[in-house]
Amino acid sequence: MSNLDLINKTILFVRGKLANAEGGHDWFHIQRVYKNALLIAGEENCDETVVKLGALLHDIADSKFHDGDETVGPKIAREFLESEGVSEDIITYVIQIIDNISFKGGNNEKHFSSLELDIVQDADRLDAIGAIGIARAFNYGGFKNRSMYDPQIAPKLNMTKEEYKSSQAPTINHFYEKLLLLKDKMNTQTGKQIAQKRHDYMQGFLSQFYAEWDGEQ
Ligand code: ADP
Ligand code: NI
């Protein structure tokens, strides 16, 4: 099977699986991450097939929606890739990306590193910041019934994975707990440049938010 066929089949598979996914992790998230990943990959000497498969399959089964089970996504991805006759070394690479892409709360060690993981991770992080990042954060906060902002509740840095998962804090806190920290965690040059632009946009948003909160223009 040609690479193009494999990628097209993967796109169809992922679209089907995510047909009823919630807003932050739906097919459009995957599509944006895929585009970000291609943009970054164009600047790097990497294995593009691995990057594409990693980007497409990285959220195939979010543990949040499987009782915290982090093995479901990699298992589904492996079964799909095996059924398509993809070679074991490519499968291993892609699964390592899915396993390592998200380190919740930022305090967990990365167990594996590769340029392709760096690229997909940057691509995923870019979708958490900027205008889309702001929209996703408030969408998530609404889904979880969180308040937008409460000046009495300070952001909490250095949370453990468990604290991060069970946090009930207002959505604005998430900017300080995660979103504004992402710019300095970017792996690639291209990722860093785009992140800086999106970071500045979020800072502008926050200034305006507080101004309006205080009854200013
Ligand atoms: P990822 O796509 O990297 O796995 P998450 O599943 O942690 O990210 O989050 C999905 C989206 O929801 C992201 O845009 C993220 O910023 C947002 N989000 C996650 N946790 C919170 C939170 N506590 N408050 C607001 N937004 C959140
Ligand atoms: Ni994602």
Side-chain angles (χ1 to χ4, degrees):
M1 180 165 51
S2 76
N3 263 355
L4 188 62
D5 285 345
L6 173 61
I7 299 305
N8 283 336
K9 281 184 131 178
T10 308
I11 288 173
L12 288 177
F13 173 73
V14 175
R15 276 174 94 144
K17 276 266 178 233
L18 296 182
N20 298 313
E22 52 74 52
H25 282 116
D26 57 6
W27 164 249
F28 293 119
H29 165 65
I30 305 302
Q31 202 174 42
R32 292 189 301 266
V33 172
Y34 183 69
K35 286 181 189 170
N36 293 342
L38 288 188
L39 190 71
I40 300 171
E43 304 294 320
E44 308 282 339
N45 192 4
C46 62
D47 184 328
E48 288 217 4
T49 301
V50 170
V51 168
K52 287 177 182 171
L53 293 174
L56 289 171
L57 292 164
H58 83 276
D59 275 331
I60 194 72
D62 193 304
S63 60
K64 277 201 283 309
F65 307 110
H66 292 88
D67 291 328
D69 189 344
E70 288 168 6
T71 65
V72 181
K75 186 164 170 279
I76 294 176
R78 167 171 283 284
E79 278 167 13
F80 167 74
L81 294 171
E82 280 175 355
S83 74
E84 294 302 327
V86 176
S87 71
E88 180 55 37
D89 47 333
I90 291 194
I91 296 181
T92 307
Y93 234 80
V94 173
I95 298 298
Q96 277 166 327
I97 291 179
I98 302 173
D99 269 337
N100 287 279
I101 186 163
S102 139
F103 35 130
K104 307 279 178 213
N107 291 329
N108 298 308
E109 293 288 324
K110 218 166 156 183
H111 298 299
F112 160 83
S113 80
S114 74
L115 176 58
E116 290 75 13
L117 168 60
D118 284 352
I119 292 171
V120 180
Q121 190 171 48
D122 276 8
D124 195 32
R125 285 176 171 163
L126 285 177
D127 205 50
I129 58 178
I132 296 276
I134 294 170
R136 284 180 85 205
F138 285 100
N139 182 63
Y140 183 97
F143 178 70
K144 292 271 188 180
N145 216 4
R146 310 251 174 98
S147 61
M148 292 194 298
Y149 176 48
D150 184 338
Q152 305 289 349
I153 305 176
K156 228 172 142 183
L157 296 174
N158 300 317
M159 283 186 279
T160 64
K161 189 170 169 173
E162 295 318 313
E163 281 176 318
Y164 179 79
K165 275 187 177 167
S166 62
S167 164
Q168 288 296 326
T171 301
I172 285 284
N173 291 23
H174 188 61
F175 286 77
Y176 301 94
E177 290 163 354
K178 178 175 171 190
L179 307 184
L180 293 170
L181 310 178
L182 290 177
K183 156 180 89 66
D184 293 328
K185 293 190 173 178
M186 300 302 286
N187 306 304
T188 65
Q189 232 12 69
T190 315
K192 283 180 190 163
Q193 278 166 16
I194 305 171
Q196 183 66 57
K197 189 174 157 214
R198 295 186 182 193
H199 180 89
D200 295 345
Y201 187 89
M202 288 194 295
Q203 293 280 31
F205 166 79
L206 289 169
S207 307
Q208 179 67 18
F209 185 96
Y210 297 129
E212 293 180 17
W213 188 272
D214 290 333
E216 295 162 19
Q217 289 200 341

